[in-house]
């Protein structure tokens, strides 16, 4: 997926993804990479192929369509659709391509059972709500669910999943522990009938901080992409060594003086307190670079941090290069990563007022290339 009208260059370092995966696998050998939403903006197939070559034998993506792209792109092994089969076409696609849909309603059981050919087994992942209150059966639904499954022997549960709400916050580990206990009870209930079923609860933060909640399969997302879900907490060190894999650059269109007393950009929100030099960078909110960065964000130019001056426009943003010698039109400005004082996804997210996940998903929509 790519924004077709700009000069932005998103560069993904596949080697960094592989090293992050290796770090996580040392802690959790059964880690199943989460590559939903175009691999958090890093590119679905290139990321899957890289991690598959590094030993991943199962993946979790979002929609069934995304899973079909993986299968049609030659990815073998288990592919789980976290959003599940939402209509008949999805259900058919899962059956035809051996995609394992998350199932969180009785209607979905019906939809899938109806698509199985005689004698065919359809693998499914049962999704339970243990505290997110997002998708899933509840613990109280379990007896009725087991009855329904028994009545549909063509459906075979291979995975039992739930998702944690505050695993990235060690100060609220009570809630995480409660979710883990509920999940353990649910898993035991399913396992009493399907002994080979695998349990999966841990996201990145729980993979790093809660080895007792690893169960059979872990589902790391953000840590693969080099952001630390425990940043700013007492357990931040558990994410040491993870490296961001995405650099985002845009060309500088013009460099010019901004004399003391002159304002810059819409709304005149910044006035130069002294004689300054500004660079106009070819990026703005149309490139999913948030206007919320107006007057408070930063980029790097020639390896140095440079603050954003005034408002971010649709396709242009001004930065202060007064203290960076030799900047000229055509030079790269880095919105994220790059050489020198690189902004990490976490730092950019703080300036942006959001989380690294959103920064990566949004900037990753720009034209993208991959290298080792
Ligand atoms: C996105 C997602 C994950 C991965 O979470 P991270 O915090 O990125 O590790 C795991 N499980 C489910 C169900 C998800 O939606």
């Amino acid at each position: 997926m790519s924004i077709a009208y700009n000069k932005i260059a998103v560069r993904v370092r596949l080697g960094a993804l592989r090293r992050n995966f290796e770090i996580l696998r040392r802690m959790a050998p059964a880690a199943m990479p989460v590559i939903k939403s175009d691999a958090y903006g890093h590119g679905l197939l290139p990321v899957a192929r890289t991690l598959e070559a590094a030993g991943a034998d199962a993946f979790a993506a979002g929609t069934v369509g995304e899973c079909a792209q993986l299968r049609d792109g030659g990815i073998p092994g288990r592919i789980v659709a976290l959003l599940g089969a939402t209509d008949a076409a999805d259900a058919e696609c899962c059956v035809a391509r051996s995609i394992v849909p998350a199932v969180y309603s009785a209607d979905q059981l019906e939809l899938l059972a109806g698509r199985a050919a005689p004698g065919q087994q359809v693998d499914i992942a049962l999704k339970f709500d243990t505290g997110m209150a997002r998708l899933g059966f509840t613990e109280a639904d379990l007896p009725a669910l087991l009855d329904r499954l028994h009545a549909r022997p063509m459906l075979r549960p291979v995975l039992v999943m739930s998702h944690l709400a505050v695993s990235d916050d060690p100060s609220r580990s009570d809630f995480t522990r409660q979710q883990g206990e509920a999940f353990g009870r649910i898993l035991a209930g399913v396992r009493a009938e399907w002994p080979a079923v695998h349990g999966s609860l841990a996201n990145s933060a729980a993979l790093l901080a809660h080895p007792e909640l690893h169960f059979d399969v872990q589902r790391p997302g953000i840590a693969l992409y080099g952001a630390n879900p425990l940043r700013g907490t007492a357990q931040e060190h558990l994410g040491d060594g993870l490296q961001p894999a995405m650099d985002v650059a845009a060309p500088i269109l013009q460099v010019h003086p901004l004399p003391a007393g002159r304002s810059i950009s819409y709304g005149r929100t910044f006035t130069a307190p002294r004689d300054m030099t500004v660079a106009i960078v070819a990026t703005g909110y149309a490139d999913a670079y948030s206007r919320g960065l107006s007057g408070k964000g930063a980029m790097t130019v020639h390896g140095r941090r440079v603050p954003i001056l005034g408002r971010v426009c649709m396709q242009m943003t001004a930065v202060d290069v007064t203290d960076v010698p030799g900047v000229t039109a055509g030079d790269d400005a880095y919105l994220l990563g790059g050489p020198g004082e690189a902004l990490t996804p976490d730092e950019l997210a703080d300036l942006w007022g959001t989380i690294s996940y959103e920064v990566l998903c949004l900037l990753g929509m720009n034209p993208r290339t991959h290298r080792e």
Side-chain angles (χ1 to χ4, degrees):
M1 180 174 329
S2 124
I3 298 177
Y5 46 71
N6 68 27
K7 306 271 277 182
I8 295 186
V10 176
R11 302 180 189 119
V12 175
R13 278 172 281 108
L14 297 170
L17 285 167
R18 189 182 314 102
R19 282 189 294 278
N20 293 337
F21 182 55
E22 282 160 4
I23 289 174
L24 298 174
R25 287 248 294 200
R26 281 199 285 277
M27 297 179 235
M32 169 171 71
V34 177
I35 54 173
K36 66 186 182 215
S37 304
D38 209 14
Y40 293 38
H42 291 68
L44 184 72
L45 273 171
V47 169
R49 289 183 180 133
T50 298
L51 298 180
E52 202 247 322
D57 58 3
F59 292 94
T63 60
V64 169
E66 231 179 3
C67 295
Q69 280 184 54
L70 289 169
R71 190 61 93 214
D72 296 348
I75 299 299
R78 179 170 291 168
I79 302 177
V80 178
L82 294 172
L83 297 184
T86 59
D87 53 28
D90 272 1
E92 247 152 57
C93 183
C94 287
V95 171
R97 290 183 171 80
S98 297
I99 291 163
V100 180
V103 171
Y104 43 85
S105 76
D107 288 348
Q108 290 174 323
L109 293 176
E110 221 50 72
L111 200 59
L112 290 159
R115 294 296 173 300
Q120 187 180 17
Q121 289 257 289
V122 177
D123 289 351
I124 58 173
L126 298 176
K127 171 103 176 167
F128 285 89
D129 168 27
T130 57
M132 268 293 273
R134 209 168 56 173
L135 291 180
F137 298 104
T138 64
E139 193 174 358
D141 294 332
L142 187 57
L145 173 62
L146 294 179
D147 287 345
R148 283 177 193 278
L149 286 168
H150 281 304
R152 292 168 185 77
M154 68 294 273
L155 300 181
R156 177 171 59 185
V158 293
L159 205 58
V160 174
M161 296 193 298
S162 189
H163 199 42
L164 296 166
V166 285
S167 56
D168 56 351
D169 184 352
S171 74
R172 291 193 283 175
S173 58
D174 274 3
F175 192 78
T176 302
R177 197 171 312 116
Q178 279 170 32
Q179 283 198 265
E181 284 163 9
F183 185 72
R185 291 191 298 270
I186 291 165
L187 180 60
V190 178
R191 220 171 233 161
E193 319 272 336
W194 286 274
V197 82
H198 282 166
S200 176
L201 180 62
N203 55 4
S204 295
L207 186 157
L208 295 170
H210 291 281
E212 78 284 5
L213 300 181
H214 280 186
F215 293 94
D216 305 299
V217 176
Q218 306 76 39
R219 303 191 308 271
I222 196 68
L224 280 172
Y225 309 101
N228 183 352
L230 298 165
R231 198 176 71 111
T233 74
Q235 294 184 315
E236 177 165 354
H237 62 280
L238 295 174
D240 284 353
L242 297 170
Q243 277 177 30
M246 184 189 287
D247 295 325
V248 183
I252 290 171
L253 300 170
Q254 189 182 32
V255 179
H256 64 73
L258 186 71
R262 280 282 190 87
S263 64
I264 189 164
S265 194
Y266 292 118
R268 305 188 65 198
T269 58
F270 179 82
T271 299
R274 57 187 167 114
D275 288 345
M276 300 174 79
T277 306
V278 300
I280 308 302
V281 180
T283 191
Y285 55 80
D287 313 312
Y289 188 67
S290 176
R291 186 171 177 280
L293 291 162
S294 296
K296 56 185 173 159
M299 300 186 194
T300 58
V301 172
H302 291 197
R304 303 264 301 275
R305 279 292 162 91
V306 291
I308 290 175
L309 299 179
R311 288 201 182 141
V312 172
C313 307
M314 189 181 293
Q315 294 195 295
M316 287 185 253
T317 300
V319 292
D320 173 10
V321 294
T322 311
D323 299 326
V324 187
V327 180
T328 57
D331 290 354
D332 270 340
Y334 280 88
L335 285 51
L336 179 67
E341 296 167 357
L343 281 149
T344 66
D346 287 315
E347 284 175 304
L348 182 55
D350 285 349
L351 294 168
W352 190 311
T354 183
I355 52 175
S356 56
Y357 302 64
E358 187 178 4
V359 166
L360 295 173
C361 287
L362 291 183
L363 291 182
M365 292 194 286
N366 288 290
R368 202 170 46 199
T369 56
H370 295 85
R371 64 198 155 94
E372 264 310 292

